[in-house]
Amino acid sequence: MTHLSSYIDHTLLKPTATEAEIIKLCEEAKKFRFFSVCTNSYFTALTKEHTKNSNVKVCTVVGFPLGAMSTEAKVYETIQAMKDGTDEIDMVINLGLLKAKDYTGVVRDIASVKNRLPNNVLKVIIETCYLTDDEIIKACELSIQAGADFIKTSTGFGPHGATLEHVKLMKTTSNGRVKIKASGGIKDFKTAIEYIKIGVDRIGTSAGITIVTGK
Amino acid sequence: MNISKHIEYTLLKPTTTEREIIDLCYEAIQNDYYGVCINSSYVALARQLLENSPTKVCSVVGFPFGAMSTDAKVFEAKKAIEDGAEEIEMVINLGFLKSKNYVSVLKDISDVKMAIGNTTLKVILEISELNKNEIIKACEICLDANVDFIKTSSGFSKGGATLTATKIIKKTIKDAAKITASGDIEDLETSMKYLEVGVHRIGFNALLNKKTKKARPIS
């Protein structure tokens, strides 16, 4: 098995996060060899600066955490994050369009962002806590259709985060066509391993250090 | 007193559907509310529904964290105005404020203000995350940036408006900007208390309205 730390997107997304906290996050990511640091877009440049000359990637959230901003604004936020040095983008799906079965709108929202980063990883957060099983299946299909590289369970700011059941459903539906990131509420070694065993490719967590050292 | 003209009828939950926006706009017209407050992906739809009505369309920007890059906030605001928004409500950059990086807090707001010209700009402080000194500092920065309104809360944090915080805001800004109190305000009596301490607008959550029924704050 690949080393556990390389599954981790070391994450700090609370709106009150300070510059000092973000710099600490970057230092921790380098020390523990996490895959990336994941932050809001106003910290992308700072994160890039503090991870340069390391293998740690920069991951930026877009349209976060509601996914309800206009498609054009999501695209622009993505372009700006790319300029600031991000390697990966985690965007939130438009849940209102999905609930209203406006599937063309959902695909357009995702594809418009993906078109701007053909060579970089795009993860689509489908916020499973708000979705029925049918909606999860549909969200996976639409994300794949729109060119997403990953589907991701949760923002961490909804009523709950990832569940094993939801991830299994995403895994069955996507059937190898896209990777999966589980996030929200994964806080210890045992839980992280459970997700990896069922085929998750990445874990988003603020508890990365506990996961890799705590057991 | 008829307070309907002070009400910003608000629906910001991420799962909001087109149908719910249609209901929101019609209820706002029927009740003669000041405006509707919505996420930017629904501005064009709301504009269309409210054509020929005095009810204003207000779009949130950088919502609800205020943590997106300044350039992205500027773009989201300009796009919302192009789609028909008449007022912009942006969330202050809380991380910069907590870092005491006041230059960046001011630049974040000023850049949006300059980009939107005469369109009304409201800045959400998210008072539940701030101590008294931070509220005062945030208000002073907003005045430096020439904002039109200061708004207490996004409705997505651990708490909404409080009378205590609202009084601090009022004392700091006096009449140099107006105030919107929002979050957790769901009845006429509470709304009146805020208006009495000098608030100009009340952000009224359409979901609370539906849940409680009795809560509709009409004179």
Side-chain angles (χ1 to χ4, degrees):
Chain A
M1 193 178 88
T2 318
H3 198 274
L4 182 56
S5 60
S6 65
Y7 282 87
I8 306 275
D9 284 344
H10 197 39
T11 302
L12 185 58
L13 293 165
K14 63 173 178 164
T16 52
T18 61
E19 290 165 337
E21 287 175 298
I22 295 295
I23 292 169
K24 181 164 169 270
L25 189 80
C26 294
E27 295 306 323
E28 290 167 350
K30 286 189 280 190
K31 182 178 172 194
F32 290 94
R33 297 171 186 273
F34 292 135
F35 188 87
S36 80
V37 284
C38 181
T39 68
N40 281 294
S41 63
Y42 79 106
F43 277 136
T44 302
L46 182 69
T47 304
K48 183 68 187 172
E49 187 192 326
H50 286 271
T51 54
K52 66 183 174 198
N53 305 323
S54 82
N55 292 323
V56 176
K57 305 270 191 218
V58 176
C59 173
T60 303
V61 295
V62 160
F64 193 86
L66 304 183
M69 71 191 214
S70 60
T71 297
E72 290 77 4
K74 287 181 183 175
V75 168
Y76 191 88
E77 187 177 18
T78 299
I79 294 170
Q80 185 60 39
M82 299 286 287
K83 276 189 203 158
D84 288 344
T86 200
D87 298 296
E88 304 193 340
I89 295 287
D90 287 16
M91 71 177 283
V92 186
I93 200 168
N94 189 310
L95 292 157
L97 296 180
L98 181 68
K99 291 276 179 190
K101 301 192 196 311
D102 179 357
Y103 302 135
T104 312
V106 175
V107 170
R108 180 184 162 270
D109 190 56
I110 301 168
S112 301
V113 173
K114 181 60 195 176
N115 287 342
R116 295 308 182 118
L117 59 159
N119 302 315
N120 294 65
V121 167
L122 175 66
K123 311 189 195 90
V124 176
I125 305 171
I126 64 173
E127 200 69 303
T128 52
C129 61
Y130 291 123
L131 306 182
T132 63
D133 283 0
D134 285 345
E135 287 167 341
I136 290 174
I137 292 168
K138 198 71 200 178
C140 292
E141 292 294 353
L142 298 173
S143 300
I144 293 166
Q145 193 187 327
D149 301 285
F150 272 81
I151 38 179
K152 172 176 169 182
T153 58
S154 314
T155 62
F157 293 87
H160 67 76
T163 67
L164 286 168
E165 289 67 32
H166 285 158
V167 171
K168 282 177 193 162
L169 181 59
M170 289 159 71
K171 186 80 187 166
T172 315
T173 306
S174 59
N175 195 22
R177 291 176 292 163
V178 70
K179 293 181 176 173
I180 294 175
K181 175 173 170 181
S183 56
I186 304 171
K187 295 191 181 308
D188 57 46
F189 175 79
K190 184 172 162 284
T191 313
I193 293 296
E194 279 175 343
Y195 279 101
I196 290 171
K197 274 185 183 157
I198 61 169
V200 156
D201 302 280
R202 202 78 69 74
I203 290 173
T205 179
S206 55
I209 296 175
T210 309
I211 289 172
V212 299
T213 61
K215 307 206 170 180
Chain B
M1 178 183 177
N2 184 342
I3 71 162
S4 62
K5 276 292 173 200
H6 296 274
I7 300 288
E8 293 171 4
Y9 204 40
T10 303
L11 189 57
L12 293 164
K13 70 178 167 86
T15 52
T16 301
T17 60
E18 195 174 296
R19 182 73 247 165
E20 290 172 301
I21 294 291
I22 293 170
D23 289 346
L24 182 86
C25 290
Y26 284 124
E27 284 170 26
I29 293 170
Q30 276 170 5
N31 293 297
D32 203 21
Y33 289 145
Y34 179 83
V36 295
C37 180
I38 55 177
N39 280 297
S40 62
S41 62
Y42 281 128
V43 170
L45 174 65
R47 176 74 271 151
Q48 196 186 338
L49 295 163
L50 295 171
E51 210 65 69
N52 307 320
S53 121
T55 305
K56 307 269 193 225
V57 177
C58 174
S59 175
V60 294
V61 160
F63 192 84
F65 283 1
M68 70 192 218
S69 58
T70 298
D71 293 335
K73 285 182 183 173
V74 167
F75 185 91
E76 186 178 17
K78 287 201 297 201
K79 172 67 183 158
I81 291 169
E82 193 185 308
D83 285 348
E86 293 152 293
E87 303 197 345
I88 296 293
E89 288 193 10
M90 68 180 284
V91 184
I92 198 168
N93 190 308
L94 291 160
F96 284 146
L97 185 65
K98 293 278 181 186
S99 307
K100 301 195 196 305
N101 183 349
Y102 303 130
V103 176
S104 295
V105 178
L106 177 61
K107 181 175 185 299
D108 190 58
I109 302 168
S110 296
D111 282 7
V112 174
K113 177 69 187 170
M114 279 189 280
I116 69 173
N118 292 328
T119 306
T120 297
L121 177 64
K122 307 189 187 116
V123 175
I124 301 171
L125 302 191
E126 204 68 294
I127 53 126
S128 66
E129 299 286 355
L130 306 181
N131 62 36
K132 185 182 172 185
N133 289 335
E134 288 167 339
I135 291 173
I136 292 170
K137 190 70 201 178
C139 288
E140 289 169 352
I141 294 170
C142 286
L143 293 187
D144 282 350
N146 271 325
V147 311
D148 302 288
F149 272 81
I150 290 175
K151 181 170 172 175
T152 59
S153 316
S154 71
F156 286 83
S157 178
K158 56 197 172 204
T162 65
L163 279 170
T164 310
T166 305
K167 284 177 193 163
I168 295 169
I169 294 170
K170 184 66 190 175
K171 198 176 160 199
T172 309
I173 67 173
K174 305 207 167 56
D175 293 320
K178 293 175 179 171
I179 301 174
T180 300
S182 56
D184 303 338
I185 300 173
E186 51 180 302
D187 57 37
L188 175 63
E189 199 188 355
T190 314
S191 302
M192 290 303 295
K193 280 183 190 155
Y194 280 97
L195 293 173
E196 277 161 16
V197 299
V199 158
H200 287 79
R201 302 256 188 85
I202 304 286
F204 190 64
N205 187 329
L207 292 174
L208 286 175
N209 189 16
K210 287 210 166 48
K211 202 166 64 187
T212 57
K213 292 288 183 198
K214 64 177 171 46
R216 190 167 300 205
I218 294 174
S219 61

PDB file of all heavy atoms in Angstrom, chain B residues 30-43:
ATOM      1  N   GLN B  30     -45.838  40.277  -3.073  1.00  0.00           N
ATOM      2  CA  GLN B  30     -47.119  40.324  -2.346  1.00  0.00           C
ATOM      3  C   GLN B  30     -47.014  41.119  -1.055  1.00  0.00           C
ATOM      4  O   GLN B  30     -47.926  41.838  -0.670  1.00  0.00           O
ATOM      5  CB  GLN B  30     -47.554  38.903  -1.974  1.00  0.00           C
ATOM      6  CG  GLN B  30     -48.283  38.180  -3.075  1.00  0.00           C
ATOM      7  CD  GLN B  30     -48.456  36.702  -2.724  1.00  0.00           C
ATOM      8  OE1 GLN B  30     -48.107  36.264  -1.625  1.00  0.00           O
ATOM      9  NE2 GLN B  30     -48.992  35.944  -3.654  1.00  0.00           N
ATOM     10  N   ASN B  31     -45.909  40.942  -0.341  1.00  0.00           N
ATOM     11  CA  ASN B  31     -45.746  41.572   0.968  1.00  0.00           C
ATOM     12  C   ASN B  31     -45.050  42.924   0.912  1.00  0.00           C
ATOM     13  O   ASN B  31     -44.775  43.527   1.935  1.00  0.00           O
ATOM     14  CB  ASN B  31     -44.983  40.638   1.900  1.00  0.00           C
ATOM     15  CG  ASN B  31     -45.788  39.396   2.235  1.00  0.00           C
ATOM     16  OD1 ASN B  31     -46.851  39.494   2.845  1.00  0.00           O
ATOM     17  ND2 ASN B  31     -45.313  38.246   1.808  1.00  0.00           N
ATOM     18  N   ASP B  32     -44.729  43.347  -0.318  1.00  0.00           N
ATOM     19  CA  ASP B  32     -44.107  44.639  -0.508  1.00  0.00           C
ATOM     20  C   ASP B  32     -42.788  44.776   0.260  1.00  0.00           C
ATOM     21  O   ASP B  32     -42.495  45.813   0.862  1.00  0.00           O
ATOM     22  CB  ASP B  32     -45.096  45.747  -0.062  1.00  0.00           C
ATOM     23  CG  ASP B  32     -44.786  47.073  -0.729  1.00  0.00           C
ATOM     24  OD1 ASP B  32     -44.120  47.061  -1.781  1.00  0.00           O
ATOM     25  OD2 ASP B  32     -45.175  48.118  -0.166  1.00  0.00           O
ATOM     26  N   TYR B  33     -42.015  43.691   0.258  1.00  0.00           N
ATOM     27  CA  TYR B  33     -40.718  43.742   0.926  1.00  0.00           C
ATOM     28  C   TYR B  33     -39.750  44.608   0.131  1.00  0.00           C
ATOM     29  O   TYR B  33     -39.886  44.764  -1.081  1.00  0.00           O
ATOM     30  CB  TYR B  33     -40.126  42.330   1.067  1.00  0.00           C
ATOM     31  CG  TYR B  33     -40.848  41.463   2.067  1.00  0.00           C
ATOM     32  CD1 TYR B  33     -40.987  40.093   1.837  1.00  0.00           C
ATOM     33  CD2 TYR B  33     -41.375  41.987   3.246  1.00  0.00           C
ATOM     34  CE1 TYR B  33     -41.630  39.278   2.752  1.00  0.00           C
ATOM     35  CE2 TYR B  33     -42.019  41.185   4.161  1.00  0.00           C
ATOM     36  CZ  TYR B  33     -42.152  39.824   3.920  1.00  0.00           C
ATOM     37  OH  TYR B  33     -42.784  39.027   4.810  1.00  0.00           O
ATOM     38  N   TYR B  34     -38.710  45.105   0.825  1.00  0.00           N
ATOM     39  CA  TYR B  34     -37.719  45.933   0.155  1.00  0.00           C
ATOM     40  C   TYR B  34     -37.026  45.175  -0.977  1.00  0.00           C
ATOM     41  O   TYR B  34     -36.856  45.686  -2.078  1.00  0.00           O
ATOM     42  CB  TYR B  34     -36.664  46.447   1.146  1.00  0.00           C
ATOM     43  CG  TYR B  34     -35.632  47.276   0.447  1.00  0.00           C
ATOM     44  CD1 TYR B  34     -35.868  48.621   0.179  1.00  0.00           C
ATOM     45  CD2 TYR B  34     -34.444  46.698  -0.014  1.00  0.00           C
ATOM     46  CE1 TYR B  34     -34.950  49.376  -0.518  1.00  0.00           C
ATOM     47  CE2 TYR B  34     -33.518  47.453  -0.715  1.00  0.00           C
ATOM     48  CZ  TYR B  34     -33.782  48.794  -0.964  1.00  0.00           C
ATOM     49  OH  TYR B  34     -32.862  49.535  -1.670  1.00  0.00           O
ATOM     50  N   GLY B  35     -36.582  43.943  -0.650  1.00  0.00           N
ATOM     51  CA  GLY B  35     -35.846  43.193  -1.676  1.00  0.00           C
ATOM     52  C   GLY B  35     -35.733  41.721  -1.354  1.00  0.00           C
ATOM     53  O   GLY B  35     -36.188  41.258  -0.303  1.00  0.00           O
ATOM     54  N   VAL B  36     -35.137  40.989  -2.298  1.00  0.00           N
ATOM     55  CA  VAL B  36     -34.806  39.583  -2.038  1.00  0.00           C
ATOM     56  C   VAL B  36     -33.275  39.471  -2.019  1.00  0.00           C
ATOM     57  O   VAL B  36     -32.589  40.186  -2.741  1.00  0.00           O
ATOM     58  CB  VAL B  36     -35.371  38.613  -3.111  1.00  0.00           C
ATOM     59  CG1 VAL B  36     -36.882  38.611  -3.078  1.00  0.00           C
ATOM     60  CG2 VAL B  36     -34.852  38.946  -4.508  1.00  0.00           C
ATOM     61  N   CYS B  37     -32.791  38.564  -1.186  1.00  0.00           N
ATOM     62  CA  CYS B  37     -31.350  38.369  -1.067  1.00  0.00           C
ATOM     63  C   CYS B  37     -31.023  36.908  -1.387  1.00  0.00           C
ATOM     64  O   CYS B  37     -31.541  35.995  -0.725  1.00  0.00           O
ATOM     65  CB  CYS B  37     -30.931  38.735   0.355  1.00  0.00           C
ATOM     66  SG  CYS B  37     -29.175  38.528   0.634  1.00  0.00           S
ATOM     67  N   ILE B  38     -30.205  36.698  -2.420  1.00  0.00           N
ATOM     68  CA  ILE B  38     -29.995  35.346  -2.963  1.00  0.00           C
ATOM     69  C   ILE B  38     -28.535  35.133  -3.388  1.00  0.00           C
ATOM     70  O   ILE B  38     -27.760  36.079  -3.469  1.00  0.00           O
ATOM     71  CB  ILE B  38     -30.902  35.129  -4.200  1.00  0.00           C
ATOM     72  CG1 ILE B  38     -30.645  36.248  -5.220  1.00  0.00           C
ATOM     73  CG2 ILE B  38     -32.372  35.109  -3.802  1.00  0.00           C
ATOM     74  CD1 ILE B  38     -31.427  36.105  -6.497  1.00  0.00           C
ATOM     75  N   ASN B  39     -28.202  33.879  -3.657  1.00  0.00           N
ATOM     76  CA  ASN B  39     -26.881  33.547  -4.179  1.00  0.00           C
ATOM     77  C   ASN B  39     -26.759  34.008  -5.640  1.00  0.00           C
ATOM     78  O   ASN B  39     -27.760  34.111  -6.356  1.00  0.00           O
ATOM     79  CB  ASN B  39     -26.633  32.039  -4.086  1.00  0.00           C
ATOM     80  CG  ASN B  39     -26.221  31.618  -2.691  1.00  0.00           C
ATOM     81  OD1 ASN B  39     -25.180  32.019  -2.181  1.00  0.00           O
ATOM     82  ND2 ASN B  39     -27.051  30.797  -2.057  1.00  0.00           N
ATOM     83  N   SER B  40     -25.520  34.190  -6.109  1.00  0.00           N
ATOM     84  CA  SER B  40     -25.323  34.834  -7.413  1.00  0.00           C
ATOM     85  C   SER B  40     -25.790  33.991  -8.595  1.00  0.00           C
ATOM     86  O   SER B  40     -26.089  34.536  -9.653  1.00  0.00           O
ATOM     87  CB  SER B  40     -23.868  35.273  -7.604  1.00  0.00           C
ATOM     88  OG  SER B  40     -22.975  34.192  -7.577  1.00  0.00           O
ATOM     89  N   SER B  41     -25.893  32.668  -8.419  1.00  0.00           N
ATOM     90  CA  SER B  41     -26.334  31.854  -9.559  1.00  0.00           C
ATOM     91  C   SER B  41     -27.818  32.084  -9.888  1.00  0.00           C
ATOM     92  O   SER B  41     -28.279  31.689 -10.949  1.00  0.00           O
ATOM     93  CB  SER B  41     -26.068  30.363  -9.311  1.00  0.00           C
ATOM     94  OG  SER B  41     -26.785  29.898  -8.195  1.00  0.00           O
ATOM     95  N   TYR B  42     -28.560  32.718  -8.986  1.00  0.00           N
ATOM     96  CA  TYR B  42     -29.992  32.949  -9.233  1.00  0.00           C
ATOM     97  C   TYR B  42     -30.353  34.405  -9.522  1.00  0.00           C
ATOM     98  O   TYR B  42     -31.535  34.749  -9.613  1.00  0.00           O
ATOM     99  CB  TYR B  42     -30.821  32.458  -8.042  1.00  0.00           C
ATOM    100  CG  TYR B  42     -31.027  30.958  -8.037  1.00  0.00           C
ATOM    101  CD1 TYR B  42     -30.720  30.200  -6.919  1.00  0.00           C
ATOM    102  CD2 TYR B  42     -31.531  30.311  -9.164  1.00  0.00           C
ATOM    103  CE1 TYR B  42     -30.905  28.819  -6.920  1.00  0.00           C
ATOM    104  CE2 TYR B  42     -31.723  28.943  -9.172  1.00  0.00           C
ATOM    105  CZ  TYR B  42     -31.408  28.200  -8.050  1.00  0.00           C
ATOM    106  OH  TYR B  42     -31.602  26.851  -8.059  1.00  0.00           O
ATOM    107  N   VAL B  43     -29.365  35.260  -9.673  1.00  0.00           N
ATOM    108  CA  VAL B  43     -29.655  36.682  -9.868  1.00  0.00           C
ATOM    109  C   VAL B  43     -30.438  36.927 -11.165  1.00  0.00           C
ATOM    110  O   VAL B  43     -31.439  37.649 -11.165  1.00  0.00           O
ATOM    111  CB  VAL B  43     -28.349  37.517  -9.850  1.00  0.00           C
ATOM    112  CG1 VAL B  43     -28.616  38.947 -10.295  1.00  0.00           C
ATOM    113  CG2 VAL B  43     -27.746  37.509  -8.446  1.00  0.00           C
TER     114      VAL B  43
END
